[in-house]
Amino acid sequence: MQHCEFDSHSPKNTAELAERLGRAVERGAILLLEGELGAGKTTFVQGLARGMGLTDYVRSPSFVLVHEYRNGPLPLFHADFFRLSGAEEALDLGLEDVAAPGVLVIEWPERAEEALPEEALRVRIVVGTAMDDRHLTFSAKGERAERELDALRSTAAGGQP
Ligand SMILES: Nc1ncnc2c1ncn2[C@@H]1O[C@H](COP(=O)(O)OP(=O)(O)O)[C@@H](O)[C@H]1O
Ligand SMILES: [Mg+2]
C-alpha cells in the first residue's frame, strides 16, 4: 500500500493533477473517487479524461450507472454510485470486467464497499477551510496502482509526497 498527498487551490489544480494521472493509467485500472458532494470528483474525472487523450466532455453521470468514453487510446468508464440501490447492483456489474478493456473510475464507491475490488487506486478529496482548497489523498493497492501513483508522484509539480 502506498500513499501520497496533494493540496489543490483551484478546480484547475485538481484537473491538472488528474490529467497527469490520466497519462499514467494502465489498462484494467480502477480508480475510486471519494468525497462529499461538490468536493471535485467530477472535476477530477474531466482532467483524467484529458490526460488519457479523450476529447469528449465528461459530465456528471446522474442518470445511468456507467458512461463510456471511447474516442481515445483506452476507453474510460465513468460510474457514479450516488444513486446505487446497494452493493448488489455493483456486484452484478462485475467491476473488474467493466474495467478490463480500459479504465474504470467510480464516484461514491462508499455506496458499495463490499463490491469493490482489492486492488485499486483510491483518491479521497477533502474540502478545506478556504473556498477553493482541497486536500487529495491517494492510496494505491496492488502493483498496477502503485506504478500509477509512482508515475503521478514523479511528474506532479508542487506535490508533497
Ligand atoms: N480545488 C478545487 N478542486 C475541484 N473543484 C473545486 C475546487 N475549488 C472549487 N471547486 C468547485 O467545486 C465544484 C466541484 O464540483 P464537482 O467536480 O461536480 O464535485 P463532485 O463530483 O465531487 O460532486 C465545482 O463547482 C468546482 O468549480
Ligand atoms: Mg460528481
Side-chain angles (χ1 to χ4, degrees), residues 41-42 60-61 80 107-108:
K41 300 180 294 297
T42 300
S60 220
D80 191 333
E107 294 188 42
W108 293 103

Side-chain angles (χ1 to χ4, degrees), residues 35-81:
E36 63 185 74
L37 207 64
K41 300 180 294 297
T42 300
T43 303
F44 189 96
V45 179
Q46 287 166 3
L48 185 81
R50 205 175 313 128
M52 288 176 65
L54 299 168
T55 50
D56 266 0
Y57 180 62
V58 179
R59 280 157 274 100
S60 220
S62 304
F63 303 105
V64 293
L65 214 46
V66 184
H67 273 288
E68 302 184 15
Y69 299 88
R70 288 191 168 274
N71 60 341
L74 279 181
L76 172 63
F77 306 99
H78 181 200
D80 191 333
F81 285 178

Side-chain angles (χ1 to χ4, degrees), residues 21-35:
L21 181 63
R23 291 191 208 110
V25 284
E26 301 175 15
R27 191 185 300 275
I30 298 179
L31 271 64
L32 309 173
L33 282 186
E34 299 177 354

Side-chain angles (χ1 to χ4, degrees), residues 142-161:
E143 283 179 17
R144 174 173 46 225
E146 289 179 1
R147 275 196 303 273
E148 290 166 345
L149 196 49
D150 274 343
L152 176 66
R153 237 197 308 237
S154 62
T155 59
Q160 300 101 43

